[in-house]
Amino acid sequence: MGKHPQSEKCLRSEVLSISLTGLVASLVSIVVTVETGTSLFQLVGLAEVSLRETRLRVLSALAQVGLHIDGYSIKVQISPAGLRNEGFFDLAIATAVILALEKKTLPGTVVLGELSLSGGVRPVRGVLPALRGAASKGIQHVIVPRANLAEAASAPDLDVRVAGNLNAVQDYLRGACEIERASVPFRPKQPGALDLSDMRGMPSTRRAIEIAAAGQHSILFIGPPGAGITMASRRIPTILPPMFVDEALEVTSIHSVAGLLNSEQGLATNRPFRAPHHSVAPAGLVGGGEPVRPGEVSLAHGGVLFLDELPEFRRSSLALLETTLAQGEAVIVRGQNRTVFPARPLLVLATHACPCGFYGDAKRRCTCSVEQIRRHRERVHGPLFERVDMQIVVPPVDVAQLGSKAKSENSETVRNRVVAARTIQHARAARQKVASSLNTALNHRDLERIAAPDAQGKRTLEQAVERLGLSATLRAKVLRVARTIADLDGSEIVRAPHVAEAVLLAPVFGRG
């Protein structure tokens, strides 16, 4: 550092940073003490696994802006202790050293960012949840990496500054310049690449996904290869209601922690769609790893989780996923640490009717034995099947319809009906003090109160129970779906046609 700029025996500064556990942010205090004497740079409070790398990055970056530790004894105290630095603390540590030497302060400001050896400020995961946590603790000013600009600009009610290198931060602390504020330039919204109008024909499938979206009902598709199930599933997010700001912040935060946001992506506007391969490990499905990252079920939160070829997934993974969906959150415990991620997606499952896929197909012959079909159905009828509200058998695609010039309804038209049905549900929940505003989560007491069909509808339901042998659980699922169909119809009363359509969608695959 050349000549000692200060005559004081001991200089001290404090800078705040953030530590994330899942989406939960905690303030971290970084206190730097500088004394003249033996050259020393000591980090106290970091987990051993990240101690050496942090020290190397910070010292190298400080050297790039002309600050060397020769003749100085510098102690960095990080509290709470035992934290693992994933890059969050680098910039804060370097800033605290500069403040101590300059005899300046930076009150009420959180600093986070990873330093490169050349003094650049690299982006970090989880900036948005970190800033939301900082705001909740009364922090008003933040300095973050410039590469996180778009994401940081999504944080409400904060003065966020962005820095591309340590030199810019040093000049800012000295009062020589300002640091750029985080703001995202206006970009016209581009039309989505996927739209329901792409689906030619397939009226029963289109109707089923509209009902599923309107009531947040999990659905099982059964059909042969090439039936268009994946195409239909990928378009479900386009007919779900637009996200409220709080939802968008939560979804963006999850994807930020997972490191899935690019440098130009700010607040999420489209609901997520996740389709993990059946070989996915349990940690990939529900979350885990070191450090802990959200799994597919949380990455699909607020959107759609699509599991194709359901029988091929590990039964243990599906059982774990079922528990997670029942709780509405993924809980990962590592030693003394408990990490929680939201996990409330719309569940969409798909399977063939048999291993070869052509059982019941009028044009192609099934080659499976009776035993193969039985085992296939047993695998489908696993722990996750109990969460299914609806099922639909998707027929093979009618090739003649693919060349039709007739226009199908687009996603916006269908989404408007879905939004109207959801609005009815929310208003009814508030008016009648129902525990859940979504039909899929109606408990038995509320279900009998608000989804009870009229006299003719009741007879239709009783006949279905008798002829199909519906259990009490299946009867409740039929009522929930019938309530949603009535809401789409704008009917306060659940009538016989609503019940009849719901009966046709009852999930019975694999029970016989």
Side-chain angles (χ1 to χ4, degrees):
M1 293 183 189
K3 295 181 180 180
H4 298 167
Q6 316 296 338
S7 59
E8 287 82 348
K9 183 178 180 180
C10 180
L11 303 173
R12 186 179 183 276
S13 69
E14 181 182 13
V15 169
L16 297 176
S17 192
I18 289 289
S19 173
L20 278 179
T21 303
L23 301 184
V24 179
S26 302
L27 283 179
V28 174
S29 171
I30 297 174
V31 176
V32 167
T33 304
V34 180
E35 296 179 314
T36 57
T38 305
S39 299
L40 178 68
F41 189 86
Q42 183 181 16
L43 283 171
V44 179
L46 275 185
E48 186 66 30
V49 68
S50 59
L51 189 62
R52 182 175 299 178
E53 291 183 358
T54 300
R55 184 178 186 276
L56 178 62
R57 290 195 301 264
V58 172
L59 284 176
S60 179
L62 286 171
Q64 293 297 318
V65 296
L67 299 179
H68 305 273
I69 69 167
D70 298 340
Y72 285 90
S73 175
I74 301 176
K75 180 179 179 181
V76 181
Q77 178 72 51
I78 299 172
S79 60
L83 298 174
R84 177 170 175 164
N85 180 22
E86 295 181 46
F88 265 48
F89 308 151
D90 290 9
L91 184 58
I93 294 170
T95 299
V97 172
I98 295 171
L99 286 171
L101 293 169
E102 299 284 343
K103 290 200 300 185
K104 296 183 181 296
T105 60
L106 195 64
T109 301
V110 157
V111 180
L112 52 92
E114 179 178 330
L115 290 172
S116 68
L117 297 177
S118 62
V121 181
R122 292 173 171 170
V124 291
R125 302 172 186 242
V127 165
L128 182 56
L131 298 192
R132 294 180 71 194
S136 70
K137 300 177 190 307
I139 301 296
Q140 296 182 339
H141 308 285
V142 186
I143 299 176
V144 302
R146 196 183 191 288
N148 292 116
L149 184 151
E151 180 185 350
S154 303
D157 306 322
L158 281 175
D159 172 24
V160 182
R161 306 298 181 104
V162 294
N165 53 68
L166 183 58
N167 193 64
V169 176
Q170 184 184 45
D171 290 343
Y172 171 70
L173 297 175
R174 289 173 172 174
C177 70
E178 281 292 319
I179 298 183
E180 178 186 357
R181 291 180 185 273
S183 60
V184 180
F186 172 76
R187 295 186 181 92
K189 187 175 181 180
Q190 300 297 321
L194 301 178
D195 194 275
L196 213 58
S197 59
D198 301 331
M199 295 173 59
R200 303 289 184 182
M202 304 178 69
S204 59
T205 304
R206 292 171 61 97
R207 173 63 173 171
I209 63 175
E210 180 177 343
I211 296 170
Q216 193 73 3
H217 299 291
S218 53
I219 184 171
L220 170 67
F221 288 113
I222 305 166
I229 291 174
T230 300
M231 179 176 67
S233 300
R234 288 189 176 277
R235 283 154 180 76
I236 295 177
T238 70
I239 64 173
L240 290 171
M243 288 191 288
F244 294 111
V245 173
D246 286 347
E247 285 183 287
L249 286 168
E250 190 171 46
V251 168
T252 308
S253 295
I254 295 170
H255 286 246
S256 174
V257 169
L260 298 180
L261 299 184
N262 60 51
S263 60
E264 297 182 355
Q265 185 175 351
L267 198 63
T269 55
N270 298 323
R271 291 187 179 272
F273 176 88
R274 303 294 298 184
H277 190 261
H278 57 73
S279 62
V280 64
L285 196 58
V286 301
E290 184 58 46
V292 176
R293 299 287 183 234
E296 293 290 341
V297 65
S298 294
L299 294 173
H301 174 73
V304 172
L305 178 63
F306 176 53
L307 303 186
D308 198 6
E309 300 183 27
L310 178 64
E312 302 303 320
F313 283 81
R314 304 176 195 176
R315 192 178 183 90
S316 58
S317 295
L318 296 183
L320 185 59
L321 178 60
E322 197 282 331
T323 301
T324 300
L325 291 170
Q327 294 174 338
E329 58 185 20
V331 181
I332 302 104
V333 179
R334 294 286 184 272
Q336 300 296 319
N337 297 321
R338 183 176 184 269
T339 304
V340 179
F341 293 107
R344 293 184 296 277
L346 173 57
L347 181 64
V348 179
L349 309 175
T351 184
H352 301 318
C354 65
C356 77
F358 300 120
Y359 179 80
D361 193 315
K363 297 181 179 180
R364 287 170 288 191
R365 187 174 66 87
C366 173
T367 60
C368 303
S369 67
V370 173
E371 179 61 21
Q372 287 176 318
I373 294 174
R374 184 189 66 79
R375 287 200 302 267
H376 175 81
R377 293 192 172 192
E378 284 181 350
R379 288 197 296 270
V380 173
H381 189 209
L384 206 58
F385 184 81
E386 300 304 319
R387 300 202 65 79
V388 174
D389 286 341
M390 302 165 50
Q391 79 172 40
I392 180 170
V393 177
V394 181
V397 173
D398 186 349
V399 178
Q401 290 185 337
L402 296 179
S404 173
K405 294 183 179 180
K407 290 186 177 181
S408 301
E409 280 187 318
N410 61 22
S411 292
E412 183 179 3
T413 300
V414 177
R415 183 173 61 242
N416 289 338
R417 293 199 295 267
V418 169
V419 170
R422 292 268 186 120
T423 301
I424 290 172
Q425 293 171 56
H426 294 321
R428 180 172 56 235
R431 185 175 64 252
Q432 299 194 23
K433 295 182 174 56
V434 177
S436 172
S437 60
L438 289 172
N439 289 336
T440 187
L442 289 174
N443 59 39
H444 287 281
R445 183 181 61 184
D446 292 333
L447 190 64
E448 296 299 334
R449 184 159 56 95
I450 70 171
D454 62 8
Q456 190 172 352
K458 187 176 180 180
R459 285 195 294 273
T460 301
L461 181 61
E462 289 173 348
Q463 290 171 357
V465 170
E466 183 178 347
R467 292 177 182 176
L468 300 178
L470 299 183
S471 64
T473 299
L474 278 174
R475 178 183 180 277
K477 290 182 177 182
V478 168
L479 280 179
R480 291 188 185 99
V481 174
R483 178 66 270 175
T484 297
I485 295 171
D487 292 337
L488 282 168
D489 201 26
S491 173
E492 183 66 28
I493 301 173
V494 177
R495 304 185 188 279
H498 306 142
V499 174
E501 186 174 7
V503 169
L504 292 176
L505 294 169
V508 295
F509 181 80
R511 294 185 181 276

